[in-house]
Amino acid sequence: MTENIKEEIQRLKAEKNAVVLGHYYQRGEVQDVADFVGDSLALAQWAAKTEADIIVMCGVHFMGETAKVLCPKKKVLVPDLAAGCSLADSCPAERFEAFIQAHPGHTVISYVNTTAAVKALTDVVVTSTNARQIVESFPQDEKIIFGPDRNLGRYINAVTGRQMLLWDGACHVHEQFSAEKIAALKQQHPDALVLAHPECKESVLKLADVVGSTAALLKQAVRHPEHTYIVATEAGILHEMHRQCPHTTFLPAPPADGSCACNECGYMRLNTLEKLRDCLRDETPEIIVDPDLAARAVRPIERMLEISARLGL
Ligand code: 13P
Ligand code: SF4
């Protein structure tokens, strides 16, 4: 059955000149049929350069929106439009605009996990791969508003010595990792290195040997497969880690509530192979962005892509 669906997906992709982009947090079987699997920055970079007529974004809504804003003439599909993001939801555009107005004279830097309406209020977008370098590309005394992730913002402030004003938002998946439980796991595996995404709380980041985006954490494992790793990010990344490092032991960091699967992003997992096949076949659900809004949102995204290209990211 699954094999049939995979074959259908391959046939539809070829027939329709469609490209399937997948985030590392997607279900393993969805990652397996994607043409490219990557982090948020890579997905935006691939979307910007693809020659396909249709982009199917196997990720969450803001990723589809970013692709649509970059490629307004292409059809951009997301297999399940209900695939939202608690972090993007923690930053409604009207409230963010009021925050910006209350703090005049600041450059606005926004994480890619935001709606197009928030990006339209932003000077430059960042992802966890380039946030540090993009912040550092501004003078040390630049007054900066950073939104919406308070944990990433606090981390960037700490490593750059900045005092950016932070929006008080967070991701419900990354916030639930427990420092106490990671410390206890580390006691059982004293040689294990802790890999943590910067959306995790400060107490978890303090225990981390490597803090980085999904792509950076994967790169560490590929470069040093001889270690055991405790992985504090959404569990979908383990699929690619196991694929690229089949002999390495990866231990998912335990969530505070041991009985839940809350290290999985329910939004990301809404996309299934069946929904991917159906959306390729029916060319729906489609991401629609108001063209005026897209024209304002594209500038900070392109600025991020330009700076990233200059920095070789
Ligand atoms: P990256 O893929 O940029 O590390 O982002 C993680 C994330 O939370 C995406 O939703
Ligand atoms: Fe959003 Fe968090 Fe899910 Fe990433 S893991 S899509 S930040 S809710």
Side-chain angles (χ1 to χ4, degrees):
M1 178 64 174
T2 301
E3 280 318 303
N4 289 348
I5 297 180
K6 287 184 176 173
E7 278 166 26
E8 277 183 82
I9 289 170
Q10 299 305 350
R11 177 178 55 76
L12 287 162
K13 277 198 296 194
E15 260 175 41
K16 301 195 176 210
N17 188 26
V19 68
V20 175
L21 306 181
H23 190 267
Y24 289 127
Y25 296 164
Q26 289 293 285
R27 293 166 183 272
E29 63 269 26
V30 171
Q31 295 187 43
D32 289 344
V33 293
D35 297 295
F36 301 101
V37 181
D39 69 351
S40 311
L41 176 63
L43 295 179
Q45 289 168 326
W46 283 318
K49 67 180 181 210
T50 183
E51 288 181 0
D53 297 314
I54 297 177
I55 299 172
V56 186
M57 183 59 77
C58 292
V60 292
H61 190 274
F62 77 81
M63 296 175 177
E65 225 179 29
T66 301
K68 181 67 185 176
V69 163
L70 283 166
C71 313
K73 296 207 167 75
K74 291 190 195 293
K75 192 173 264 189
V76 178
L77 309 169
V78 171
D80 191 327
L81 270 195
C85 169
S86 58
L87 179 50
D89 289 346
S90 71
C91 188
E94 321 75 61
R95 282 182 44 216
F96 195 55
E97 186 167 22
F99 185 70
I100 294 168
Q101 279 167 2
H103 301 96
H106 284 69
T107 294
V108 180
I109 300 185
S110 296
Y111 197 33
V112 69
N113 299 40
T114 45
T115 59
V118 166
K119 290 185 176 80
L121 301 167
T122 294
D123 294 300
V124 57
V125 168
V126 298
T127 74
S128 40
T129 287
N130 56 26
R132 178 182 182 158
Q133 290 93 330
I134 290 184
V135 167
E136 283 178 332
S137 73
F138 288 93
Q140 187 73 29
D141 58 355
E142 182 90 7
K143 286 160 82 183
I144 296 174
I145 286 175
F146 185 92
D149 191 77
R150 58 175 172 247
N151 296 312
L152 174 64
R154 193 188 298 111
Y155 171 72
I156 300 291
N157 271 345
V159 294
T160 62
R162 310 276 170 140
Q163 290 181 319
M164 301 186 297
L165 269 183
L166 306 183
W167 180 261
D168 193 20
C171 156
H172 73 293
V173 178
H174 287 89
E175 279 241 308
Q176 54 72 42
F177 288 112
S178 151
E180 292 73 28
K181 292 201 172 177
I182 292 173
L185 189 59
K186 179 106 180 145
Q187 274 195 336
Q188 289 167 31
H189 303 271
D191 295 334
L193 298 183
V194 177
L195 305 178
H197 195 281
E199 288 173 26
C200 294
K201 289 178 296 195
E202 189 180 20
S203 56
V204 168
L205 296 183
K206 276 192 179 144
L207 296 175
D209 297 286
V210 179
V211 176
S213 65
T214 48
L217 302 183
L218 177 65
K219 198 187 278 181
Q220 161 69 27
V222 170
R223 280 200 186 138
H224 294 286
E226 69 279 10
H227 294 298
T228 291
Y229 292 104
I230 297 171
V231 184
T233 190
E234 209 274 354
I237 186 71
L238 296 168
H239 181 74
E240 187 62 13
M241 286 178 165
H242 286 304
R243 200 183 69 78
Q244 293 207 35
C245 312
H247 305 296
T248 303
T249 303
F250 295 103
L251 306 163
D257 174 359
S259 63
C260 72
C262 31
N263 59 350
E264 294 182 358
C265 174
Y267 296 117
M268 284 280 182
R269 275 148 214 273
L270 284 176
N271 296 323
T272 60
L273 271 188
E274 287 83 356
K275 289 182 198 169
L276 170 56
R277 184 262 326 268
D278 294 352
C279 104
L280 269 166
R281 184 191 59 209
D282 305 335
E283 299 188 20
T284 187
E286 184 178 355
I287 297 274
I288 306 289
V289 184
D290 171 75
D292 290 340
L293 176 62
R296 283 179 283 128
V298 77
R299 274 172 297 179
I301 305 174
E302 283 181 343
R303 198 163 164 199
M304 167 184 80
L305 294 178
E306 281 156 24
I307 301 175
S308 301
R310 220 183 309 132
L311 296 172
L313 296 169

